[in-house]
Amino acid sequence: MMKRHKIVLAEDNSTLSLLLKYKLEKEGYELLIAADGKQAIDLVESYNPDLILTDIMMPYFSGLEVISHVRNKLKKKTPIVVFSSAGQEDMVLKAFSLGASDFMTKPFSPNELVIRIKRLFSEFKTIG
Amino acid sequence: MHIYDYIVGAFQEAPFLIQISLVVVVAMIITIVILIIGLRATRSLLKIKDKEIANYKTQYEALIVDFLYSGDDSDEMSKSQRSIIIKLKSGVRIPSRQKSIITILSSLMDEVSGEMSDDIKSLYRKTGLAGHARHRLKSKKWHIVTKAIWELRQFGVYEGQEEVSKFITHHKREVRKEAQLYTVDLFKFEGLSFLDDLELPLSEWHQLQLLEALMTEGNPKICDIKPWLRSPNVSVILFAIKLAKIYNQFEVKEELISLLAHPNKEVRSAAISVLNDLFGYETEELLQLSKDAFSYEEVHVRTAEL
Amino acid sequence: MESSTIKIILEVFHYLFFICSFLAILSYILLSIISARETIEYVKKNSFVNYKHILSSPISPSITIIAPAYNESLNVVENVRSLLSNHYPNYNVIIVNDGSSDDSLEKLIEAYDLEYVDYEVDEKVKTQPFRKGVFKSKNPAFEKLIVVDKENGGKADALNMGLNISDSKYVACIDVDCLLLEDALQKMIKPFLEATDHKVIAAGGVIRIANSCVIKGGKLIEVNLPKNLLVQAQILEYLRAFLLGRMAWSRLNGLLVISGAFGIFDKYIALEVGGYDTNTVGEDMEIIVRMRRHMEEKNEKYKVAYIPDPLCWTEAPDNYKTLISQRNRWTRGTIETLRKHRKIAFNKNYGKFGLISYPYWLIFERLAPIIELVGLLYFGILIAFNLVHWEYAVLFIALAYLFSVLFSLVALFSEELTYNQYKKKGVGIKLILLCIIEPIILHPVILYAAIRGNIDYYFNKTKKWGAMERKGMSSGETN
């Protein structure tokens, strides 16, 4: 049997977290939920996920810092998708320059997220 | 009884000032005791309420997420969805539970779009929340009306348009702001028609919110903004200038140039800024022509904005 | 002297004290009522404000946080992190290292990957020159951060440097050791943008006491009531001052001071009046009074706004010595400011500002400790001459005491019903007990400090020039 992909989701809106967890678990992924950037970093360090989904604006550590930590401190190439709100275009640019793989602007459609995640995994497989 | 008689006697013999002071002291002690009891009661009440809220949140969060995923592809509701609606409906009848449900739905609306947001909107209707909100528009308390309008807007309830439009020129600022946001959020540029004869000022904060409402979802077609650029209401002009900038309205060049002679300083500098944005170097020439008309401050403002 | 003359003098004193106490009590009652109404209105208005909307707006106005730092090496890295994590789309942070003699700058360079940048400063307000100059981060995650290293000049001078460098429309001046909550800037900018028929020149925030609170990664995790009684008493004092006093004064548009620890200014006006005054220890109060005066003289409608949400948390002195020196400084700051702008007093050209706010401040803040001291001396004399009517004295003291307990309880009530920060079990009863003992533990200390402040101001030449005395930073004024 194929190993289930592990995904860390960092999001401070608990309802959205729950919603995405259901959705992605239905798609066959294993979800680890963090309510803030600090928890996200802890989860990434201890579980070594295959993908990271992170909101940009979060308590403690922002999404940008999560990316920076994963890329610079942990030296990992794990794909990272950031969620931004409208009007945070420069944040998104910064996220990309720090090494984000993709972004989605809130409000977004969970279905679209699933498609993007699938695509990322297939791309990552062919490259990796 | 001996002591009591003694006290009463002493009180009656005391000078008037002392009598008054004694009364005040006793009154204050009583107030203090009442306040302390009140504080204790409030505190335990708040504690219970907090627990309740947390409880409702987990309970309804699970139900709502469940609802959103238990649908099949058909338009009909599945059996489990129907039972969830029944559960939510009974919750809606109790104000504190209703509040919790609305909070959860609204926080999701801010984050998701597409099909999912349509599902949330329909859930909002099916649970009877939309009807409740429309009913509350009749309230005499301004904050209840405002909250109701906010809800109708958040969950895209178009049917409320007629009732809400009555509040567009309401004397209480919060109410009319929310009503204006409702029409703009739901009907985009069409909803902006209230600007045509608006006499009341639009605050900067409100303008930002209106723009935000215009920009959410899709790319609505802009209407003719020229009349607003000629409005007697300065804040409407400023708002129209912002529209010209964001939606690159090259065709309003004439109007913008004529605004350079507007008596209001803010209008003049906003006009310069947007002309510069849209037409670049041409503006420099324009400015050269009317250089004397601008104070140091305006040029300063202009460079700060660029 | 004849005994009848003494009697008359004593009689006059009697009445004076009676009138003073009556006015004080009356003003407190009025302020409580006004603040209650204002609080209810504020809570209603803000129950449906979605701060998310302004948050994502690309045209929200720019704000610069200016935080002067002087020998803050211990916490500076952590504190800057908190400043950088505010949820506002368009802001930057200027840390002004005011000639620190410790390794603050090195620590910042190391932690935030800073590099020297060439910077030409447009000196709109005269300040001490650069020492090592301006630094920015190489890491885009910290793009918002600017660190300025300059020669020592005191807090006001450091803030002025920040004013010169900022390119924003608004500046938020704060103490670097303050913890700002994430929505602080959004909430504080709102009054500026909401005004239509007047101009908001500044907005002040509430200062809350952070002692014993759990803070991690620049974020407030848990609010605790400290064990230290002196700090507890200050918490109550701050609640009274902010939830009742300032709330009411903001309703009356009569705020004369916004805390140096956290306030937002319209930069254009702050520069127009010449920035902060470097010759006073009360620069936070002085600039507001000067800005108000400027607006009154220009005859423009304006307001100093106030946001009651608990957005800024700071450490309060936890020992008598520091507390006394802090209050001593506040007293001198108040005296200096009021003296410098005495022209305003009872001057009808300045409207409510000259006829109500200034006189209130003069009598109830500036002169109150002196009146109280005179009262105590008078009481002493009465005892010495055995002239005390004990029934009057005891009743008078009881009234004063009960009233202050009552007022504290009202403040506490307001806190519970609005922000309810001290939620832990068992704290409620402690807070109530605190209301009962606070007048005994805190008030004498504050009175002593205020008297010392007066003495230092008038007689102690070395302390007279505040700016010369202390180059370090000081937390802002509360009362």
Side-chain angles (χ1 to χ4, degrees):
Chain A
M1 208 188 107
M2 218 180 82
K3 194 179 131 271
R4 290 210 301 168
H5 285 298
K6 262 184 287 190
I7 301 176
V8 164
L9 168 64
E11 165 62 55
D12 55 348
N13 181 332
S14 68
T15 320
L16 182 66
S17 282
L18 194 65
L19 190 84
L20 295 179
K21 186 174 148 77
Y22 270 43
K23 180 95 195 168
L24 295 172
E25 280 177 349
K26 238 182 176 176
E27 299 288 334
Y29 301 111
E30 188 184 336
L31 261 281
L32 300 158
I33 306 285
D36 59 58
K38 184 90 184 62
Q39 281 180 23
I41 287 173
D42 292 345
L43 285 177
V44 171
E45 283 180 355
S46 38
Y47 292 96
N48 191 20
D50 306 294
L51 175 73
I52 300 164
L53 306 171
T54 176
D55 194 12
I56 283 199
M57 289 278 198
M58 265 187 313
Y60 303 118
F61 283 58
S62 75
L64 294 181
E65 284 172 83
V66 173
I67 306 172
S68 166
H69 189 87
V70 172
R71 295 283 185 264
N72 302 329
K73 291 258 163 64
L74 304 177
K75 308 269 179 218
K76 281 194 175 135
K77 290 197 178 118
T78 322
I80 303 175
V81 179
V82 293
F83 304 152
S84 67
S85 298
Q88 295 176 350
E89 285 77 14
D90 54 326
M91 291 271 210
V92 173
L93 290 180
K94 260 184 263 172
F96 274 118
S97 70
L98 282 166
S101 322
D102 200 353
F103 83 101
M104 294 197 71
T105 304
K106 277 182 181 177
F108 60 75
S109 138
N111 290 334
E112 193 186 330
L113 178 69
V114 172
I115 295 168
R116 293 214 195 187
I117 290 173
K118 281 186 180 155
R119 204 190 57 201
L120 266 174
F121 275 131
S122 65
E123 273 173 20
F124 200 63
K125 221 186 290 166
T126 48
I127 303 165
Chain B
M1 280 327 263
H2 188 73
I3 299 168
Y4 175 78
D5 288 337
Y6 173 76
I7 292 173
V8 172
F11 180 79
Q12 278 164 350
E13 276 167 34
F16 181 61
L17 205 60
I18 298 270
Q19 282 181 345
I20 289 192
S21 308
L22 272 172
V23 170
V24 175
V25 165
V26 172
M28 271 178 34
I29 290 173
I30 293 170
T31 325
I32 286 174
V33 171
I34 292 172
L35 267 177
I36 290 175
I37 295 169
L39 264 170
R40 299 304 295 158
T42 321
R43 227 181 137 81
S44 23
L45 248 159
L46 285 173
K47 274 235 166 70
I48 295 167
K49 238 184 157 177
D50 274 357
K51 262 200 200 126
E52 218 180 61
I53 290 170
N55 192 0
Y56 292 160
K57 189 170 182 223
T58 39
Q59 188 187 335
Y60 289 120
E61 214 169 48
L63 266 182
I64 288 167
V65 171
D66 215 13
F67 174 90
L68 294 172
Y69 281 122
S70 51
D72 31 38
D73 288 333
S74 68
D75 284 345
E76 290 290 298
M77 278 198 291
S78 68
K79 210 175 145 199
S80 62
Q81 275 182 318
R82 250 175 262 142
S83 85
I84 291 172
I85 296 260
I86 292 169
K87 278 186 202 154
L88 288 175
K89 261 189 170 167
S90 70
V92 162
R93 272 184 235 120
I94 301 156
S96 55
R97 289 177 184 247
Q98 185 189 72
K99 205 172 156 192
S100 175
I101 296 171
I102 293 169
T103 312
I104 295 169
L105 289 177
S106 147
S107 86
L108 262 188
M109 275 305 283
D110 287 336
E111 313 276 19
V112 300
S113 65
E115 248 170 78
M116 189 65 76
S117 80
D118 292 340
D119 288 347
I120 298 168
K121 284 179 192 168
S122 85
L123 183 60
Y124 178 78
R125 286 196 173 104
K126 281 176 188 146
T127 47
L129 282 168
H132 268 274
R134 284 174 70 184
H135 184 72
R136 272 181 286 142
L137 289 176
K138 297 192 188 86
S139 168
K140 288 218 162 55
K141 295 197 174 117
W142 68 265
H143 65 282
I144 291 180
V145 174
T146 314
K147 189 76 192 266
I149 302 175
W150 172 82
E151 261 185 63
L152 295 174
R153 168 186 164 213
Q154 179 75 348
F155 299 102
V157 182
Y158 292 90
E159 302 89 301
Q161 191 201 2
E162 218 186 291
E163 290 131 291
V164 173
S165 64
K166 278 182 273 178
F167 295 106
I168 273 186
T169 49
H170 195 272
H171 61 91
K172 186 92 188 165
R173 188 164 73 164
E174 278 68 27
V175 182
R176 64 172 186 265
K177 261 172 66 175
E178 208 53 56
Q180 292 165 3
L181 284 171
Y182 169 91
T183 62
V184 174
D185 204 350
L186 267 52
F187 304 95
K188 304 298 167 194
F189 281 99
E190 239 170 88
L192 271 178
S193 59
F194 71 90
L195 291 179
D196 296 346
D197 46 11
L198 186 75
E199 282 167 21
L200 298 157
L202 299 169
S203 73
E204 189 69 23
W205 177 271
H206 189 42
Q207 290 182 32
L208 292 184
Q209 285 185 300
L210 287 174
L211 289 173
E212 197 71 33
L214 281 174
M215 286 189 270
T216 50
E217 280 173 68
N219 218 343
K221 223 175 133 48
I222 188 167
C223 55
D224 182 17
I225 63 167
K226 282 176 195 159
W228 300 332
L229 286 169
R230 295 189 209 109
S231 168
N233 183 336
V234 169
S235 65
V236 170
I237 301 180
L238 288 170
F239 181 69
I241 293 178
K242 289 194 183 91
L243 287 175
K245 187 170 180 168
I246 292 169
Y247 293 91
N248 295 319
Q249 294 297 294
F250 294 102
E251 56 270 40
V252 296
K253 191 176 176 184
E254 290 304 311
E255 279 75 14
L256 287 173
I257 289 172
S258 62
L259 284 179
L260 294 178
H262 196 276
N264 186 294
K265 193 172 72 188
E266 233 182 303
V267 170
R268 292 197 302 267
S269 36
I272 300 172
S273 157
V274 71
L275 277 169
N276 221 326
D277 248 35
L278 296 178
F279 305 100
Y281 70 97
E282 288 176 50
T283 328
E284 291 299 324
E285 291 164 31
L286 263 171
L287 282 179
Q288 286 298 323
L289 286 175
S290 48
K291 204 174 178 182
D292 300 336
F294 301 103
S295 63
Y296 163 77
E297 190 195 326
E298 278 167 75
V299 178
H300 179 82
V301 167
R302 191 192 121 221
T303 43
E305 274 175 7
L306 292 180
Chain C
M1 217 181 329
E2 275 180 54
S3 71
S4 64
T5 348
I6 295 177
K7 255 207 171 125
I8 290 169
I9 293 172
L10 292 182
E11 199 83 330
V12 169
F13 264 101
H14 252 106
Y15 279 102
L16 270 179
F17 286 126
F18 181 74
I19 291 168
C20 271
S21 325
F22 177 75
L23 281 178
I25 289 179
L26 189 72
S27 77
Y28 280 129
I29 292 173
L30 280 176
L31 288 179
S32 300
I33 294 169
I34 296 168
S35 88
R37 293 184 53 170
E38 180 72 358
T39 307
I40 292 168
E41 180 86 359
Y42 181 83
V43 171
K44 273 187 194 165
K45 272 187 190 166
N46 281 273
S47 61
F48 31 71
V49 173
N50 189 350
Y51 286 97
K52 264 215 144 91
H53 281 147
I54 177 126
L55 177 71
S56 62
S57 175
I59 34 180
S60 44
S62 53
I63 306 176
T64 297
I65 294 181
I66 305 175
Y70 176 75
N71 289 349
E72 300 271 355
S73 164
L74 208 56
N75 298 314
V76 76
V77 170
E78 188 84 328
N79 293 336
V80 168
R81 163 169 298 282
S82 138
L83 296 182
L84 288 173
S85 58
N86 221 281
H87 287 185
Y88 189 80
N90 191 7
Y91 83 104
N92 59 3
V93 178
I94 300 179
I95 306 294
V96 185
N97 186 27
D98 190 41
S100 298
S101 51
D102 63 3
D103 60 344
S104 302
L105 184 66
E106 288 69 31
K107 279 198 169 162
L108 285 170
I109 291 177
E110 154 98 40
Y112 295 102
D113 211 359
L114 301 178
E115 63 179 351
Y116 174 81
V117 288
D118 213 14
Y119 196 94
E120 188 84 33
V121 61
D122 174 14
E123 211 174 47
K124 287 159 252 174
V125 184
K126 187 117 191 66
T127 64
Q128 292 293 320
F130 284 152
R131 195 166 60 177
K132 286 191 181 141
V134 178
F135 294 81
K136 281 186 177 171
S137 177
K138 283 180 267 188
N139 184 342
F142 305 123
E143 194 199 45
K144 288 198 280 277
L145 180 64
I146 298 172
V147 175
V148 184
D149 189 62
K150 67 180 270 291
E151 295 294 343
N152 184 282
K155 189 176 174 184
D157 194 64
L159 288 166
N160 284 338
M161 173 64 90
L163 281 173
N164 283 337
I165 290 181
S166 160
D167 56 358
S168 303
K169 200 162 176 220
Y170 299 99
V171 289
C173 297
I174 88 156
D175 283 348
V176 76
D177 59 349
C178 278
L179 182 103
L180 281 194
L181 296 200
E182 286 145 353
D183 47 358
L185 291 180
Q186 297 179 48
K187 287 195 170 154
M188 294 284 286
I189 200 70
K190 191 171 168 237
F192 289 93
L193 304 180
E194 269 194 323
T196 46
D197 57 346
H198 59 269
K199 195 170 182 70
V200 173
I201 55 172
V206 169
I207 308 303
R208 292 284 189 141
I209 292 178
N211 302 47
S212 297
C213 294
V214 181
I215 293 166
K216 263 190 208 149
K219 202 191 154 185
L220 184 68
I221 315 249
E222 199 181 279
V223 178
N224 288 318
L225 187 68
K227 290 228 158 49
N228 182 324
L229 212 54
L230 193 62
V231 183
Q232 284 189 2
Q234 288 175 75
I235 288 180
L236 199 60
E237 185 199 12
Y238 278 43
L239 285 183
R240 275 197 315 256
F242 285 108
L243 291 182
L244 300 185
R246 293 224 184 151
M247 196 73 199
W249 279 112
S250 91
R251 166 91 232 186
L252 302 171
N253 190 17
L255 280 177
L256 278 204
V257 56
I258 65 183
S259 298
F262 183 38
I264 296 198
F265 299 83
D266 184 309
K267 192 185 78 181
Y268 187 80
I269 298 174
L271 281 173
E272 205 173 48
V273 299
Y276 281 92
D277 181 356
T278 50
N279 287 318
T280 173
V281 287
E283 73 287 328
D284 49 356
M285 178 177 183
E286 200 280 334
I287 193 168
I288 292 295
V289 172
R290 191 146 36 92
M291 281 168 82
R292 292 191 84 113
R293 186 172 165 179
H294 176 75
M295 295 305 279
E296 293 281 358
E297 281 162 5
K298 277 211 307 194
N299 231 337
E300 278 181 40
K301 269 181 111 176
Y302 70 96
K303 192 170 159 95
V304 175
Y306 169 75
I307 301 297
D309 303 67
L311 299 173
C312 174
W313 295 71
T314 190
E315 291 283 318
D318 58 1
N319 59 70
Y320 285 101
K321 195 168 166 255
T322 329
L323 178 67
I324 288 171
S325 89
Q326 180 197 44
R327 297 308 163 98
N328 180 325
R329 202 171 55 241
W330 291 1
T331 304
R332 278 179 287 133
T334 305
I335 302 175
E336 281 165 358
T337 306
L338 291 179
R339 268 186 69 126
K340 183 172 169 187
H341 298 283
R342 60 177 161 248
K343 189 183 162 199
I344 299 161
F346 307 104
N347 187 336
K348 68 175 178 351
N349 293 336
Y350 292 94
K352 271 199 303 193
F353 179 34
L355 298 177
I356 303 173
S357 321
Y358 187 105
Y360 178 88
W361 208 268
L362 182 70
I363 294 166
F364 294 103
E365 296 290 335
R366 164 76 185 87
L367 295 177
I370 295 174
I371 296 172
E372 200 175 336
L373 179 71
V374 173
L376 286 173
L377 290 176
Y378 164 71
F379 193 55
I381 291 168
L382 288 184
I383 293 175
F385 286 85
N386 205 7
L387 287 168
V388 187
H389 295 287
W390 284 103
E391 62 272 31
Y392 283 96
V394 168
L395 270 177
F396 187 78
I397 292 166
L399 274 177
Y401 169 77
L402 287 174
F403 186 77
S404 87
V405 174
L406 195 66
F407 196 58
S408 294
L409 284 170
V410 171
L412 197 56
F413 219 101
S414 163
E415 159 73 2
E416 297 275 12
L417 289 176
T418 51
Y419 301 107
N420 191 17
Q421 294 289 312
Y422 298 94
K423 279 188 178 167
K424 284 208 170 160
K425 228 181 149 77
V427 172
I429 198 88
K430 278 190 196 157
L431 286 170
I432 291 173
L433 286 177
L434 196 58
C435 291
I436 294 167
I437 57 171
E438 187 262 353
I440 304 157
I441 46 178
L442 191 60
H443 186 72
V445 184
I446 289 173
L447 179 64
Y448 171 74
I451 300 295
R452 279 288 298 270
N454 272 281
I455 294 170
D456 284 345
Y457 179 78
Y458 288 106
F459 305 110
N460 194 339
K461 294 289 171 203
T462 52
K463 278 201 173 180
K464 187 161 179 174
W465 305 108
M468 305 299 290
E469 159 217 347
R470 193 174 184 276
K471 295 288 184 182
M473 302 305 161
S474 51
S475 327
E477 193 116 4
T478 55
N479 276 319

